[in-house]
Amino acid sequence: MIVIPLLQQRGKIENGLIAAQHRAVARKITQAKTVQGVLGMDIERVKAIQNRIDEFTNNMSELLNIERDVELEFTQEELDAVPRPDDASDPSKPIEFLVSHSQPQQELCDTICNLNAISTSTGLGGMHLVLFKIEGNHRLPPTTLSPGEMVCVRTCDSRGAVNTSCMQGVVDNLGDDGYSITVALESRHGDPTFSKLFGKNVRIDRIQGLADTLTYERNCEALMLLQKNGLRKKNPAISVVATLFGEGEDAAWLEKNSLVDWEEEKMDGTLESESFDKSQQRAIALGLNKKRPLLVIQGPPGTGKTGLLKQLIAFAVEQGERVLVTAPTNAAVDNMVEKLSNVGINIVRVGNPVRISKTVASKSLAEIVNAKMAPFREEFERKKSDLRKDLRHCLKDDSLAAGIRQLLKKLAKSLKKQEKQTINEVLSSA
């Protein structure tokens, strides 16, 4: 049984750092169901593999919680260290920005104060994109903030003193005119903090090492799915799971029963014209074997691993396979996308748009979906504008106004439905 305990707040750690989703994800991880024989394996053999999966997920969940606790402690230290108004400054004047560690005023600032939430829109994946401007429509101060930076968003008074808990966000963009900043905030059902941003003074702090809510939740969910579905017959990666968590005799059993195959794929001279040595050709041939559950390619820098992977992916796609490429960093994924861009295959880069390199932005899911959605959005905005005009003209007629509001809600739902459909189409064709 895996138990991910609810994280207890320590001292002044703010409530906003632990989302309700964390607790929901933690509650979902329950005792594993009784294991039934899969792949024709003996029930005892399957139980032994499941026990190793349970042990692994239990250990990893404990490590995740330790890591999360450390992140929260560090985040609190960062929040405690954010710049505050100088006692010697004029208390009657609003403060537009603050600098850290007693830096001179001409230095770039880490905190912008007295921002107003001007508008909001829904970005891809349900993210709230909130546009902020400084009160009085002044230009933004010189700042260290840039797209992709993790920030803490809170309401404050005119002097920059904090009033509410932290909302985690990512800088989406800084306005070209220098007057605005857009932050992507997670959309959380029932979270009252978001609505409280409007009509209030807001400050945005650049926080190094801000506890990453989304990554924590995804890791918890991945462990839960591994434990519950790893050995289910419908899991397309069941042979991979059985190989990783089985022992030598389990791997031998899988091979004996033709469930896995560790041999090379016959290439029929396909690689002879390519500039690969024998070891690289063998690695490609092994990688193209569809029944091989796992392949590790190891080599020092500059030995051609990236080029080999590029060729392996291209061959797999030619054979009708769909390939998912992952890496420890966004930069590594972007590098692979760039390498594959001239191969002539349909690539979709999935991830937070602000974390994707500009050089491969045209391959990102957001860019592709937005391009396909452009005509629909144009028609959507036209209909919404017409309905709002009608609503302004009939505010005194409650029944008619209520009907128009319902039409606006239906229109918003149609946009979400079309977006979801377009995302599915783009991903299914990749």
Side-chain angles (χ1 to χ4, degrees), residues 114-284:
N114 278 313
L115 290 160
N116 294 147
I118 304 300
S119 63
T120 179
S121 59
T122 302
L124 203 63
M127 296 288 283
H128 277 305
L129 300 179
V130 187
L131 176 70
F132 295 96
K133 289 187 176 183
I134 289 182
E135 189 176 9
N137 202 30
H138 298 160
R139 290 182 65 88
L140 295 177
T143 178
T144 58
L145 296 175
S146 61
E149 295 276 8
M150 295 186 72
V151 292
C152 177
V153 180
R154 295 173 286 183
T155 61
C156 65
D157 62 20
S158 63
R159 303 287 298 155
V162 174
N163 292 331
T164 58
S165 58
C166 174
M167 288 193 73
Q168 182 175 315
V170 177
V171 177
D172 185 65
N173 69 70
L174 297 168
D176 293 334
D177 57 2
Y179 285 84
S180 65
I181 178 172
T182 302
V183 177
L185 299 171
E186 285 184 56
S187 177
R188 295 174 180 165
H189 180 69
D191 186 350
T193 311
F194 177 73
S195 60
K196 290 180 180 178
L197 293 179
F198 288 86
K200 304 283 186 179
N201 290 328
V202 174
R203 66 179 278 169
I204 297 176
D205 292 284
R206 176 176 175 267
I207 304 291
Q208 290 283 3
L210 189 63
D212 193 340
T213 301
L214 192 58
T215 299
Y216 173 80
E217 292 174 356
R218 286 176 174 172
N219 285 335
C220 288
E221 185 178 7
L223 289 176
M224 176 189 71
L225 292 174
L226 171 62
Q227 185 193 30
K228 287 190 172 183
N229 301 335
L231 290 180
R232 286 192 175 182
K233 293 180 181 179
K234 293 182 179 180
N235 178 14
I238 186 171
S239 62
V240 177
V241 174
T243 300
L244 289 174
F245 290 95
E247 295 184 335
E249 58 183 23
D250 298 318
W253 186 93
L254 290 168
E255 185 174 17
K256 181 180 178 181
N257 288 273
S258 301
L259 296 170
V260 301
D261 179 12
W262 298 93
E263 299 303 317
E264 300 175 26
E265 184 79 359
K266 293 182 180 180
M267 301 301 295
D268 298 327
T270 306
L271 292 173
E272 290 181 359
S273 60
E274 303 293 338
S275 57
F276 294 112
D277 60 31
K278 289 185 177 180
S279 66
Q280 291 172 325
Q281 290 181 22
R282 181 170 182 270
I284 293 174

Side-chain angles (χ1 to χ4, degrees), residues 189-422:
H189 180 69
D191 186 350
T193 311
F194 177 73
S195 60
K196 290 180 180 178
L197 293 179
F198 288 86
K200 304 283 186 179
N201 290 328
V202 174
R203 66 179 278 169
I204 297 176
D205 292 284
R206 176 176 175 267
I207 304 291
Q208 290 283 3
L210 189 63
D212 193 340
T213 301
L214 192 58
T215 299
Y216 173 80
E217 292 174 356
R218 286 176 174 172
N219 285 335
C220 288
E221 185 178 7
L223 289 176
M224 176 189 71
L225 292 174
L226 171 62
Q227 185 193 30
K228 287 190 172 183
N229 301 335
L231 290 180
R232 286 192 175 182
K233 293 180 181 179
K234 293 182 179 180
N235 178 14
I238 186 171
S239 62
V240 177
V241 174
T243 300
L244 289 174
F245 290 95
E247 295 184 335
E249 58 183 23
D250 298 318
W253 186 93
L254 290 168
E255 185 174 17
K256 181 180 178 181
N257 288 273
S258 301
L259 296 170
V260 301
D261 179 12
W262 298 93
E263 299 303 317
E264 300 175 26
E265 184 79 359
K266 293 182 180 180
M267 301 301 295
D268 298 327
T270 306
L271 292 173
E272 290 181 359
S273 60
E274 303 293 338
S275 57
F276 294 112
D277 60 31
K278 289 185 177 180
S279 66
Q280 291 172 325
Q281 290 181 22
R282 181 170 182 270
I284 293 174
L286 288 170
L288 289 174
N289 183 349
K290 298 178 183 179
K291 295 187 74 173
R292 185 183 182 91
L294 189 69
L295 175 65
V296 177
I297 300 174
Q298 186 177 6
T303 53
K305 295 188 298 298
T306 303
L308 186 151
L309 182 58
K310 170 187 173 181
Q311 192 64 62
L312 180 56
I313 293 170
F315 278 140
V317 173
E318 283 180 13
Q319 293 179 4
E321 295 292 307
R322 299 183 68 210
V323 182
L324 173 66
V325 179
T326 65
T329 65
N330 283 293
V333 176
D334 290 338
N335 181 45
M336 199 67 244
V337 172
E338 200 167 357
K339 295 282 186 183
L340 289 166
S341 294
N342 61 353
V343 176
I345 58 180
N346 187 15
I347 305 168
V348 179
R349 169 68 163 98
V350 179
N352 189 330
V354 299
R355 301 287 193 185
I356 296 174
S357 169
K358 291 181 179 179
T359 58
V360 298
S362 62
K363 301 290 185 181
S364 72
L365 178 63
E367 290 282 340
I368 296 171
V369 171
N370 286 337
K372 289 181 174 293
M373 287 280 294
F376 186 91
R377 288 184 186 278
E378 185 178 348
E379 180 65 13
F380 169 84
E381 292 296 336
R382 185 190 66 77
K383 290 179 178 179
K384 185 172 73 171
S385 176
D386 290 344
L387 285 171
R388 285 184 170 175
K389 287 178 182 177
D390 294 340
L391 183 61
R392 285 194 293 270
H393 290 122
C394 65
L395 289 176
K396 293 182 179 180
D397 188 332
D398 292 340
S399 60
L400 188 56
I404 294 175
R405 290 191 182 97
Q406 286 298 318
L407 289 175
L408 284 168
K409 287 182 180 180
K410 287 182 179 180
L411 190 63
K413 287 181 179 179
S414 71
L415 177 63
K416 291 182 179 179
K417 182 179 179 180
Q418 183 65 30
E419 182 185 86
K420 185 176 181 180
Q421 181 179 327
T422 305

Side-chain angles (χ1 to χ4, degrees), residues 5-76:
L6 299 182
L7 297 174
Q8 306 255 336
Q9 294 187 23
R10 298 177 179 172
K12 296 181 289 182
I13 294 180
E14 298 174 283
N15 295 331
L17 292 172
I18 302 178
Q21 283 104 326
H22 295 184
R23 297 188 289 274
V25 169
R27 285 195 296 269
K28 286 180 182 178
I29 301 183
T30 57
Q31 187 172 3
K33 295 182 179 180
T34 302
V35 180
Q36 298 179 349
V38 293
L39 298 175
M41 274 187 173
D42 178 80
I43 187 67
E44 295 303 319
R45 189 189 298 273
V46 176
K47 283 183 177 179
I49 296 176
Q50 182 65 49
N51 287 338
R52 295 187 199 103
I53 294 175
D54 293 344
E55 182 180 1
F56 171 79
T57 52
N58 185 45
N59 291 337
M60 287 302 297
S61 64
E62 290 179 2
L63 292 173
L64 274 177
N65 284 318
I66 292 171
E67 181 182 52
R68 179 67 178 169
D69 283 345
V70 172
E71 284 184 346
L72 289 171
E73 288 181 0
F74 182 76
T75 296
Q76 185 59 54

